Amino acid sequence: MKISKSIKYTNLARKIIPHQTGTFSRSASHFVEGVYPSYIQKAKGAYFEDVDGNNFLDYLLGLGPITLGYNYERVNNAIKEQLDQGILFSLPHHVEVDTAE
């Protein structure tokens, strides 16, 4: 298994990002360095591909994909639709209430 790109990203991230990620639970320190991939390129369903092109069944069940899987088409389409309407506003957006309900 190749992991040279993962190692490169890990070394760079150590210099610029605390825990090499914005979410502590995804930190490279949770995994065996030099054995497990550190950075993902893409994902679909229950599988991901790391930056070195290796494919894995994601037993970790990421923060959101635990329920629907990665790259879920209905969610992707809803995100694209909302992007066209804007995503950051000075006042609350009705979708906050709709989603909470």
mmCIF file of all heavy atoms in Angstrom, residues 13-63:
data_model
loop_
_atom_site.group_PDB
_atom_site.id
_atom_site.type_symbol
_atom_site.label_atom_id
_atom_site.label_comp_id
_atom_site.label_asym_id
_atom_site.label_seq_id
_atom_site.Cartn_x
_atom_site.Cartn_y
_atom_site.Cartn_z
ATOM 1 N N ALA A 13 0.596 19.476 7.493
ATOM 2 C CA ALA A 13 -0.458 19.853 8.435
ATOM 3 C C ALA A 13 0.085 20.054 9.846
ATOM 4 O O ALA A 13 -0.394 20.919 10.575
ATOM 5 C CB ALA A 13 -1.565 18.796 8.445
ATOM 6 N N ARG A 14 1.076 19.268 10.242
ATOM 7 C CA ARG A 14 1.683 19.436 11.574
ATOM 8 C C ARG A 14 2.215 20.854 11.777
ATOM 9 O O ARG A 14 2.242 21.354 12.886
ATOM 10 C CB ARG A 14 2.840 18.453 11.751
ATOM 11 C CG ARG A 14 2.412 17.092 12.145
ATOM 12 C CD ARG A 14 3.630 16.236 12.524
ATOM 13 N NE ARG A 14 3.172 14.945 12.957
ATOM 14 C CZ ARG A 14 3.495 13.801 12.361
ATOM 15 N NH1 ARG A 14 4.317 13.790 11.340
ATOM 16 N NH2 ARG A 14 3.011 12.666 12.817
ATOM 17 N N LYS A 15 2.600 21.498 10.697
ATOM 18 C CA LYS A 15 3.170 22.847 10.769
ATOM 19 C C LYS A 15 2.097 23.931 10.810
ATOM 20 O O LYS A 15 2.350 25.024 11.300
ATOM 21 C CB LYS A 15 4.075 23.093 9.564
ATOM 22 C CG LYS A 15 5.267 22.169 9.507
ATOM 23 C CD LYS A 15 6.053 22.397 8.226
ATOM 24 C CE LYS A 15 7.172 21.372 8.097
ATOM 25 N NZ LYS A 15 7.872 21.490 6.821
ATOM 26 N N ILE A 16 0.899 23.625 10.286
ATOM 27 C CA ILE A 16 -0.071 24.708 10.105
ATOM 28 C C ILE A 16 -1.445 24.486 10.735
ATOM 29 O O ILE A 16 -2.223 25.439 10.848
ATOM 30 C CB ILE A 16 -0.244 25.042 8.608
ATOM 31 C CG1 ILE A 16 -0.693 23.817 7.823
ATOM 32 C CG2 ILE A 16 1.042 25.601 8.029
ATOM 33 C CD1 ILE A 16 -0.981 24.090 6.348
ATOM 34 N N ILE A 17 -1.792 23.252 11.135
ATOM 35 C CA ILE A 17 -3.128 22.973 11.670
ATOM 36 C C ILE A 17 -3.012 22.168 12.967
ATOM 37 O O ILE A 17 -2.432 21.082 12.952
ATOM 38 C CB ILE A 17 -3.985 22.166 10.669
ATOM 39 C CG1 ILE A 17 -4.056 22.850 9.305
ATOM 40 C CG2 ILE A 17 -5.392 21.941 11.221
ATOM 41 C CD1 ILE A 17 -4.700 21.989 8.232
ATOM 42 N N PRO A 18 -3.571 22.658 14.070
ATOM 43 C CA PRO A 18 -3.546 21.871 15.310
ATOM 44 C C PRO A 18 -4.222 20.511 15.091
ATOM 45 O O PRO A 18 -5.300 20.439 14.516
ATOM 46 C CB PRO A 18 -4.343 22.717 16.295
ATOM 47 C CG PRO A 18 -4.293 24.100 15.750
ATOM 48 C CD PRO A 18 -4.237 23.943 14.251
ATOM 49 N N HIS A 19 -3.601 19.453 15.509
ATOM 50 C CA HIS A 19 -4.097 18.075 15.355
ATOM 51 C C HIS A 19 -4.262 17.666 13.898
ATOM 52 O O HIS A 19 -4.945 16.684 13.608
ATOM 53 C CB HIS A 19 -5.405 17.856 16.114
ATOM 54 C CG HIS A 19 -5.304 18.127 17.568
ATOM 55 N ND1 HIS A 19 -4.596 17.316 18.420
ATOM 56 C CD2 HIS A 19 -5.790 19.131 18.325
ATOM 57 C CE1 HIS A 19 -4.662 17.810 19.635
ATOM 58 N NE2 HIS A 19 -5.374 18.912 19.615
ATOM 59 N N GLN A 20 -3.719 18.427 12.978
ATOM 60 C CA GLN A 20 -3.767 18.185 11.528
ATOM 61 C C GLN A 20 -5.169 18.182 10.924
ATOM 62 O O GLN A 20 -5.364 17.755 9.800
ATOM 63 C CB GLN A 20 -3.065 16.862 11.157
ATOM 64 C CG GLN A 20 -1.599 16.866 11.477
ATOM 65 C CD GLN A 20 -1.305 15.934 12.635
ATOM 66 O OE1 GLN A 20 -1.712 14.791 12.634
ATOM 67 N NE2 GLN A 20 -0.591 16.426 13.615
ATOM 68 N N THR A 21 -6.160 18.638 11.683
ATOM 69 C CA THR A 21 -7.528 18.700 11.175
ATOM 70 C C THR A 21 -8.349 19.640 12.056
ATOM 71 O O THR A 21 -7.952 19.937 13.179
ATOM 72 C CB THR A 21 -8.173 17.298 11.151
ATOM 73 O OG1 THR A 21 -9.503 17.407 10.628
ATOM 74 C CG2 THR A 21 -8.229 16.686 12.521
ATOM 75 N N GLY A 22 -9.495 20.079 11.543
ATOM 76 C CA GLY A 22 -10.376 20.935 12.316
ATOM 77 C C GLY A 22 -11.255 20.173 13.297
ATOM 78 O O GLY A 22 -11.920 20.765 14.121
ATOM 79 N N THR A 23 -11.257 18.853 13.210
ATOM 80 C CA THR A 23 -12.076 18.022 14.087
ATOM 81 C C THR A 23 -11.173 17.021 14.783
ATOM 82 O O THR A 23 -10.612 16.140 14.142
ATOM 83 C CB THR A 23 -13.156 17.274 13.282
ATOM 84 O OG1 THR A 23 -13.887 18.226 12.510
ATOM 85 C CG2 THR A 23 -14.104 16.517 14.190
ATOM 86 N N PHE A 24 -11.023 17.129 16.096
ATOM 87 C CA PHE A 24 -10.067 16.321 16.846
ATOM 88 C C PHE A 24 -10.252 14.822 16.634
ATOM 89 O O PHE A 24 -9.295 14.066 16.549
ATOM 90 C CB PHE A 24 -10.141 16.653 18.340
ATOM 91 C CG PHE A 24 -9.147 15.888 19.160
ATOM 92 C CD1 PHE A 24 -7.781 16.162 19.059
ATOM 93 C CD2 PHE A 24 -9.556 14.881 20.004
ATOM 94 C CE1 PHE A 24 -6.852 15.451 19.798
ATOM 95 C CE2 PHE A 24 -8.639 14.163 20.756
ATOM 96 C CZ PHE A 24 -7.281 14.455 20.648
ATOM 97 N N SER A 25 -11.484 14.356 16.503
ATOM 98 C CA SER A 25 -11.726 12.919 16.350
ATOM 99 C C SER A 25 -11.149 12.365 15.052
ATOM 100 O O SER A 25 -10.966 11.167 14.926
ATOM 101 C CB SER A 25 -13.217 12.613 16.428
ATOM 102 O OG SER A 25 -13.902 13.225 15.354
ATOM 103 N N ARG A 26 -10.859 13.241 14.089
ATOM 104 C CA ARG A 26 -10.264 12.797 12.823
ATOM 105 C C ARG A 26 -8.748 12.972 12.808
ATOM 106 O O ARG A 26 -8.101 12.726 11.807
ATOM 107 C CB ARG A 26 -10.869 13.573 11.654
ATOM 108 C CG ARG A 26 -12.341 13.346 11.498
ATOM 109 C CD ARG A 26 -12.920 14.065 10.297
ATOM 110 N NE ARG A 26 -12.612 15.488 10.319
ATOM 111 C CZ ARG A 26 -12.234 16.182 9.253
ATOM 112 N NH1 ARG A 26 -12.118 15.616 8.088
ATOM 113 N NH2 ARG A 26 -11.984 17.468 9.348
ATOM 114 N N SER A 27 -8.179 13.384 13.906
ATOM 115 C CA SER A 27 -6.750 13.654 13.981
ATOM 116 C C SER A 27 -5.915 12.433 13.645
ATOM 117 O O SER A 27 -6.237 11.309 14.027
ATOM 118 C CB SER A 27 -6.407 14.129 15.399
ATOM 119 O OG SER A 27 -5.015 14.227 15.565
ATOM 120 N N ALA A 28 -4.814 12.654 12.942
ATOM 121 C CA ALA A 28 -3.906 11.565 12.568
ATOM 122 C C ALA A 28 -3.357 10.847 13.796
ATOM 123 O O ALA A 28 -2.977 9.678 13.713
ATOM 124 C CB ALA A 28 -2.759 12.117 11.724
ATOM 125 N N SER A 29 -3.351 11.513 14.957
ATOM 126 C CA SER A 29 -2.816 10.889 16.176
ATOM 127 C C SER A 29 -3.670 9.711 16.649
ATOM 128 O O SER A 29 -3.236 8.923 17.472
ATOM 129 C CB SER A 29 -2.694 11.925 17.295
ATOM 130 O OG SER A 29 -3.968 12.404 17.672
ATOM 131 N N HIS A 30 -4.867 9.561 16.106
ATOM 132 C CA HIS A 30 -5.743 8.443 16.465
ATOM 133 C C HIS A 30 -5.412 7.167 15.688
ATOM 134 O O HIS A 30 -6.005 6.124 15.932
ATOM 135 C CB HIS A 30 -7.205 8.801 16.202
ATOM 136 C CG HIS A 30 -7.758 9.765 17.185
ATOM 137 N ND1 HIS A 30 -7.645 11.124 17.033
ATOM 138 C CD2 HIS A 30 -8.418 9.571 18.350
ATOM 139 C CE1 HIS A 30 -8.231 11.717 18.051
ATOM 140 N NE2 HIS A 30 -8.706 10.803 18.866
ATOM 141 N N PHE A 31 -4.497 7.249 14.752
ATOM 142 C CA PHE A 31 -4.216 6.133 13.865
ATOM 143 C C PHE A 31 -2.730 5.794 13.885
ATOM 144 O O PHE A 31 -1.918 6.583 14.343
ATOM 145 C CB PHE A 31 -4.664 6.469 12.444
ATOM 146 C CG PHE A 31 -6.096 6.931 12.404
ATOM 147 C CD1 PHE A 31 -6.393 8.285 12.317
ATOM 148 C CD2 PHE A 31 -7.132 6.024 12.495
ATOM 149 C CE1 PHE A 31 -7.705 8.720 12.309
ATOM 150 C CE2 PHE A 31 -8.450 6.443 12.490
ATOM 151 C CZ PHE A 31 -8.742 7.788 12.398
ATOM 152 N N VAL A 32 -2.374 4.631 13.389
ATOM 153 C CA VAL A 32 -0.982 4.190 13.379
ATOM 154 C C VAL A 32 -0.241 4.917 12.259
ATOM 155 O O VAL A 32 -0.513 4.683 11.072
ATOM 156 C CB VAL A 32 -0.879 2.663 13.185
ATOM 157 C CG1 VAL A 32 0.567 2.227 13.162
ATOM 158 C CG2 VAL A 32 -1.649 1.940 14.279
ATOM 159 N N GLU A 33 0.659 5.809 12.637
ATOM 160 C CA GLU A 33 1.387 6.611 11.662
ATOM 161 C C GLU A 33 2.245 5.720 10.767
ATOM 162 O O GLU A 33 2.891 4.787 11.221
ATOM 163 C CB GLU A 33 2.273 7.634 12.366
ATOM 164 C CG GLU A 33 2.909 8.609 11.411
ATOM 165 C CD GLU A 33 3.632 9.745 12.110
ATOM 166 O OE1 GLU A 33 3.343 10.015 13.288
ATOM 167 O OE2 GLU A 33 4.495 10.355 11.465
ATOM 168 N N GLY A 34 2.212 5.997 9.483
ATOM 169 C CA GLY A 34 2.989 5.232 8.532
ATOM 170 C C GLY A 34 2.309 3.963 8.069
ATOM 171 O O GLY A 34 2.818 3.255 7.212
ATOM 172 N N VAL A 35 1.138 3.653 8.639
ATOM 173 C CA VAL A 35 0.410 2.446 8.260
ATOM 174 C C VAL A 35 -0.981 2.804 7.737
ATOM 175 O O VAL A 35 -1.427 2.291 6.733
ATOM 176 C CB VAL A 35 0.277 1.472 9.458
ATOM 177 C CG1 VAL A 35 -0.563 0.259 9.085
ATOM 178 C CG2 VAL A 35 1.648 1.046 9.942
ATOM 179 N N TYR A 36 -1.664 3.692 8.436
ATOM 180 C CA TYR A 36 -3.022 4.052 8.071
ATOM 181 C C TYR A 36 -2.999 5.365 7.282
ATOM 182 O O TYR A 36 -2.210 6.258 7.593
ATOM 183 C CB TYR A 36 -3.881 4.216 9.337
ATOM 184 C CG TYR A 36 -5.352 4.165 9.054
ATOM 185 C CD1 TYR A 36 -5.994 2.942 8.886
ATOM 186 C CD2 TYR A 36 -6.095 5.329 8.929
ATOM 187 C CE1 TYR A 36 -7.352 2.887 8.611
ATOM 188 C CE2 TYR A 36 -7.444 5.271 8.655
ATOM 189 C CZ TYR A 36 -8.069 4.050 8.498
ATOM 190 O OH TYR A 36 -9.404 4.009 8.219
ATOM 191 N N PRO A 37 -3.860 5.513 6.255
ATOM 192 C CA PRO A 37 -3.863 6.765 5.474
ATOM 193 C C PRO A 37 -4.297 7.944 6.332
ATOM 194 O O PRO A 37 -5.112 7.793 7.242
ATOM 195 C CB PRO A 37 -4.886 6.490 4.377
ATOM 196 C CG PRO A 37 -5.774 5.439 4.942
ATOM 197 C CD PRO A 37 -4.894 4.593 5.830
ATOM 198 N N SER A 38 -3.750 9.099 6.039
ATOM 199 C CA SER A 38 -4.071 10.297 6.807
ATOM 200 C C SER A 38 -5.060 11.223 6.115
ATOM 201 O O SER A 38 -5.786 11.940 6.775
ATOM 202 C CB SER A 38 -2.794 11.087 7.103
ATOM 203 O OG SER A 38 -1.895 10.308 7.826
ATOM 204 N N TYR A 39 -5.053 11.227 4.796
ATOM 205 C CA TYR A 39 -5.877 12.184 4.052
ATOM 206 C C TYR A 39 -6.642 11.495 2.934
ATOM 207 O O TYR A 39 -6.102 10.676 2.202
ATOM 208 C CB TYR A 39 -5.030 13.330 3.509
ATOM 209 C CG TYR A 39 -4.565 14.202 4.639
ATOM 210 C CD1 TYR A 39 -3.380 13.940 5.306
ATOM 211 C CD2 TYR A 39 -5.358 15.247 5.086
ATOM 212 C CE1 TYR A 39 -2.982 14.713 6.386
ATOM 213 C CE2 TYR A 39 -4.966 16.021 6.165
ATOM 214 C CZ TYR A 39 -3.777 15.750 6.802
ATOM 215 O OH TYR A 39 -3.394 16.500 7.868
ATOM 216 N N ILE A 40 -7.906 11.852 2.812
ATOM 217 C CA ILE A 40 -8.815 11.246 1.842
ATOM 218 C C ILE A 40 -8.952 12.147 0.626
ATOM 219 O O ILE A 40 -8.998 13.379 0.734
ATOM 220 C CB ILE A 40 -10.185 10.998 2.507
ATOM 221 C CG1 ILE A 40 -10.039 9.928 3.585
ATOM 222 C CG2 ILE A 40 -11.239 10.601 1.482
ATOM 223 C CD1 ILE A 40 -11.289 9.677 4.386
ATOM 224 N N GLN A 41 -9.066 11.525 -0.529
ATOM 225 C CA GLN A 41 -9.280 12.234 -1.794
ATOM 226 C C GLN A 41 -10.770 12.335 -2.116
ATOM 227 O O GLN A 41 -11.262 13.381 -2.488
ATOM 228 C CB GLN A 41 -8.552 11.491 -2.922
ATOM 229 C CG GLN A 41 -8.689 12.129 -4.280
ATOM 230 C CD GLN A 41 -7.936 13.429 -4.377
ATOM 231 O OE1 GLN A 41 -6.888 13.606 -3.755
ATOM 232 N NE2 GLN A 41 -8.461 14.356 -5.142
ATOM 233 N N LYS A 42 -11.480 11.195 -1.981
ATOM 234 C CA LYS A 42 -12.914 11.192 -2.294
ATOM 235 C C LYS A 42 -13.574 10.005 -1.608
ATOM 236 O O LYS A 42 -12.902 9.106 -1.103
ATOM 237 C CB LYS A 42 -13.135 11.125 -3.801
ATOM 238 C CG LYS A 42 -12.566 9.885 -4.471
ATOM 239 C CD LYS A 42 -12.745 9.960 -5.974
ATOM 240 C CE LYS A 42 -12.117 8.743 -6.653
ATOM 241 N NZ LYS A 42 -12.283 8.800 -8.098
ATOM 242 N N ALA A 43 -14.918 10.027 -1.593
ATOM 243 C CA ALA A 43 -15.656 8.941 -0.943
ATOM 244 C C ALA A 43 -17.027 8.797 -1.575
ATOM 245 O O ALA A 43 -17.588 9.755 -2.113
ATOM 246 C CB ALA A 43 -15.793 9.219 0.547
ATOM 247 N N LYS A 44 -17.566 7.586 -1.500
ATOM 248 C CA LYS A 44 -18.921 7.302 -1.995
ATOM 249 C C LYS A 44 -19.461 6.122 -1.208
ATOM 250 O O LYS A 44 -18.774 5.117 -1.043
ATOM 251 C CB LYS A 44 -18.878 6.970 -3.489
ATOM 252 C CG LYS A 44 -20.205 6.615 -4.085
ATOM 253 C CD LYS A 44 -20.749 7.749 -4.894
ATOM 254 C CE LYS A 44 -22.064 7.324 -5.545
ATOM 255 N NZ LYS A 44 -23.025 8.345 -5.552
ATOM 256 N N GLY A 45 -20.667 6.250 -0.705
ATOM 257 C CA GLY A 45 -21.270 5.171 0.063
ATOM 258 C C GLY A 45 -20.470 4.876 1.314
ATOM 259 O O GLY A 45 -20.205 5.761 2.112
ATOM 260 N N ALA A 46 -20.050 3.646 1.496
ATOM 261 C CA ALA A 46 -19.296 3.225 2.680
ATOM 262 C C ALA A 46 -17.790 3.172 2.423
ATOM 263 O O ALA A 46 -17.038 2.725 3.271
ATOM 264 C CB ALA A 46 -19.772 1.846 3.131
ATOM 265 N N TYR A 47 -17.339 3.652 1.270
ATOM 266 C CA TYR A 47 -15.935 3.526 0.876
ATOM 267 C C TYR A 47 -15.281 4.880 0.670
ATOM 268 O O TYR A 47 -15.938 5.849 0.297
ATOM 269 C CB TYR A 47 -15.828 2.714 -0.420
ATOM 270 C CG TYR A 47 -16.355 1.312 -0.259
ATOM 271 C CD1 TYR A 47 -17.700 1.043 -0.443
ATOM 272 C CD2 TYR A 47 -15.510 0.276 0.110
ATOM 273 C CE1 TYR A 47 -18.199 -0.240 -0.270
ATOM 274 C CE2 TYR A 47 -15.992 -1.010 0.281
ATOM 275 C CZ TYR A 47 -17.334 -1.256 0.086
ATOM 276 O OH TYR A 47 -17.815 -2.522 0.266
ATOM 277 N N PHE A 48 -13.967 4.941 0.918
ATOM 278 C CA PHE A 48 -13.217 6.146 0.586
ATOM 279 C C PHE A 48 -11.915 5.783 -0.104
ATOM 280 O O PHE A 48 -11.420 4.664 0.005
ATOM 281 C CB PHE A 48 -12.968 7.027 1.815
ATOM 282 C CG PHE A 48 -12.012 6.454 2.839
ATOM 283 C CD1 PHE A 48 -10.637 6.621 2.708
ATOM 284 C CD2 PHE A 48 -12.490 5.789 3.942
ATOM 285 C CE1 PHE A 48 -9.760 6.115 3.655
ATOM 286 C CE2 PHE A 48 -11.625 5.279 4.906
ATOM 287 C CZ PHE A 48 -10.258 5.439 4.755
ATOM 288 N N GLU A 49 -11.395 6.744 -0.842
ATOM 289 C CA GLU A 49 -10.105 6.610 -1.504
ATOM 290 C C GLU A 49 -9.174 7.649 -0.901
ATOM 291 O O GLU A 49 -9.535 8.823 -0.800
ATOM 292 C CB GLU A 49 -10.247 6.841 -3.003
ATOM 293 C CG GLU A 49 -8.946 6.722 -3.767
ATOM 294 C CD GLU A 49 -9.120 6.956 -5.250
ATOM 295 O OE1 GLU A 49 -10.045 6.369 -5.839
ATOM 296 O OE2 GLU A 49 -8.345 7.749 -5.809
ATOM 297 N N ASP A 50 -7.980 7.227 -0.494
ATOM 298 C CA ASP A 50 -7.040 8.179 0.089
ATOM 299 C C ASP A 50 -6.282 8.915 -1.013
ATOM 300 O O ASP A 50 -6.466 8.641 -2.201
ATOM 301 C CB ASP A 50 -6.099 7.507 1.097
ATOM 302 C CG ASP A 50 -5.074 6.582 0.462
ATOM 303 O OD1 ASP A 50 -4.978 6.490 -0.779
ATOM 304 O OD2 ASP A 50 -4.336 5.932 1.232
ATOM 305 N N VAL A 51 -5.457 9.893 -0.623
ATOM 306 C CA VAL A 51 -4.731 10.710 -1.591
ATOM 307 C C VAL A 51 -3.712 9.905 -2.390
ATOM 308 O O VAL A 51 -3.223 10.371 -3.417
ATOM 309 C CB VAL A 51 -4.041 11.921 -0.915
ATOM 310 C CG1 VAL A 51 -5.073 12.891 -0.374
ATOM 311 C CG2 VAL A 51 -3.069 11.471 0.171
ATOM 312 N N ASP A 52 -3.412 8.693 -1.951
ATOM 313 C CA ASP A 52 -2.478 7.825 -2.669
ATOM 314 C C ASP A 52 -3.186 6.854 -3.609
ATOM 315 O O ASP A 52 -2.539 6.041 -4.264
ATOM 316 C CB ASP A 52 -1.621 7.042 -1.672
ATOM 317 C CG ASP A 52 -0.660 7.948 -0.921
ATOM 318 O OD1 ASP A 52 0.290 8.430 -1.547
ATOM 319 O OD2 ASP A 52 -0.879 8.181 0.275
ATOM 320 N N GLY A 53 -4.514 6.905 -3.669
ATOM 321 C CA GLY A 53 -5.265 6.033 -4.565
ATOM 322 C C GLY A 53 -5.660 4.694 -3.973
ATOM 323 O O GLY A 53 -6.196 3.840 -4.680
ATOM 324 N N ASN A 54 -5.431 4.480 -2.677
ATOM 325 C CA ASN A 54 -5.849 3.244 -2.007
ATOM 326 C C ASN A 54 -7.331 3.344 -1.637
ATOM 327 O O ASN A 54 -7.795 4.395 -1.205
ATOM 328 C CB ASN A 54 -5.032 3.024 -0.723
ATOM 329 C CG ASN A 54 -3.552 2.937 -1.006
ATOM 330 O OD1 ASN A 54 -3.094 2.103 -1.760
ATOM 331 N ND2 ASN A 54 -2.796 3.839 -0.391
ATOM 332 N N ASN A 55 -8.074 2.252 -1.787
ATOM 333 C CA ASN A 55 -9.509 2.219 -1.467
ATOM 334 C C ASN A 55 -9.752 1.444 -0.180
ATOM 335 O O ASN A 55 -9.129 0.410 0.058
ATOM 336 C CB ASN A 55 -10.293 1.573 -2.610
ATOM 337 C CG ASN A 55 -10.296 2.459 -3.829
ATOM 338 O OD1 ASN A 55 -10.834 3.552 -3.790
ATOM 339 N ND2 ASN A 55 -9.697 1.993 -4.905
ATOM 340 N N PHE A 56 -10.685 1.964 0.636
ATOM 341 C CA PHE A 56 -10.967 1.376 1.944
ATOM 342 C C PHE A 56 -12.461 1.329 2.211
ATOM 343 O O PHE A 56 -13.191 2.241 1.840
ATOM 344 C CB PHE A 56 -10.335 2.219 3.071
ATOM 345 C CG PHE A 56 -8.859 2.326 2.993
ATOM 346 C CD1 PHE A 56 -8.264 3.339 2.266
ATOM 347 C CD2 PHE A 56 -8.045 1.404 3.650
ATOM 348 C CE1 PHE A 56 -6.886 3.441 2.197
ATOM 349 C CE2 PHE A 56 -6.671 1.503 3.584
ATOM 350 C CZ PHE A 56 -6.087 2.523 2.855
ATOM 351 N N LEU A 57 -12.898 0.294 2.900
ATOM 352 C CA LEU A 57 -14.220 0.275 3.498
ATOM 353 C C LEU A 57 -14.079 1.069 4.788
ATOM 354 O O LEU A 57 -13.221 0.774 5.610
ATOM 355 C CB LEU A 57 -14.655 -1.155 3.803
ATOM 356 C CG LEU A 57 -15.949 -1.333 4.594
ATOM 357 C CD1 LEU A 57 -17.129 -0.703 3.858
ATOM 358 C CD2 LEU A 57 -16.209 -2.804 4.852
ATOM 359 N N ASP A 58 -14.898 2.096 4.972
ATOM 360 C CA ASP A 58 -14.737 2.982 6.114
ATOM 361 C C ASP A 58 -15.413 2.418 7.359
ATOM 362 O O ASP A 58 -16.583 2.662 7.629
ATOM 363 C CB ASP A 58 -15.292 4.363 5.803
ATOM 364 C CG ASP A 58 -15.027 5.355 6.913
ATOM 365 O OD1 ASP A 58 -14.299 5.025 7.866
ATOM 366 O OD2 ASP A 58 -15.554 6.473 6.839
ATOM 367 N N TYR A 59 -14.655 1.659 8.138
ATOM 368 C CA TYR A 59 -15.174 1.115 9.394
ATOM 369 C C TYR A 59 -15.342 2.199 10.460
ATOM 370 O O TYR A 59 -16.012 1.981 11.453
ATOM 371 C CB TYR A 59 -14.239 0.034 9.941
ATOM 372 C CG TYR A 59 -14.304 -1.258 9.168
ATOM 373 C CD1 TYR A 59 -13.265 -1.640 8.337
ATOM 374 C CD2 TYR A 59 -15.400 -2.098 9.277
ATOM 375 C CE1 TYR A 59 -13.321 -2.828 7.621
ATOM 376 C CE2 TYR A 59 -15.477 -3.287 8.570
ATOM 377 C CZ TYR A 59 -14.430 -3.640 7.746
ATOM 378 O OH TYR A 59 -14.494 -4.805 7.048
ATOM 379 N N LEU A 60 -14.728 3.353 10.254
ATOM 380 C CA LEU A 60 -14.815 4.428 11.238
ATOM 381 C C LEU A 60 -16.154 5.161 11.173
ATOM 382 O O LEU A 60 -16.543 5.817 12.122
ATOM 383 C CB LEU A 60 -13.676 5.431 11.029
ATOM 384 C CG LEU A 60 -12.284 4.831 11.138
ATOM 385 C CD1 LEU A 60 -11.240 5.871 10.765
ATOM 386 C CD2 LEU A 60 -12.045 4.299 12.524
ATOM 387 N N LEU A 61 -16.827 5.070 10.065
ATOM 388 C CA LEU A 61 -18.137 5.698 9.894
ATOM 389 C C LEU A 61 -18.102 7.177 10.222
ATOM 390 O O LEU A 61 -18.588 7.613 11.246
ATOM 391 C CB LEU A 61 -19.189 4.978 10.756
ATOM 392 C CG LEU A 61 -19.330 3.494 10.497
ATOM 393 C CD1 LEU A 61 -20.225 2.854 11.547
ATOM 394 C CD2 LEU A 61 -19.848 3.229 9.110
ATOM 395 N N GLY A 62 -17.550 7.965 9.334
ATOM 396 C CA GLY A 62 -17.361 9.395 9.495
ATOM 397 C C GLY A 62 -18.457 10.136 10.243
ATOM 398 O O GLY A 62 -19.497 9.580 10.568
ATOM 399 N N LEU A 63 -18.239 11.392 10.495
ATOM 400 C CA LEU A 63 -19.152 12.191 11.311
ATOM 401 C C LEU A 63 -20.554 12.295 10.724
ATOM 402 O O LEU A 63 -21.531 12.245 11.438
ATOM 403 C CB LEU A 63 -18.563 13.594 11.499
ATOM 404 C CG LEU A 63 -17.224 13.641 12.226
ATOM 405 C CD1 LEU A 63 -16.652 15.042 12.202
ATOM 406 C CD2 LEU A 63 -17.349 13.134 13.640
#
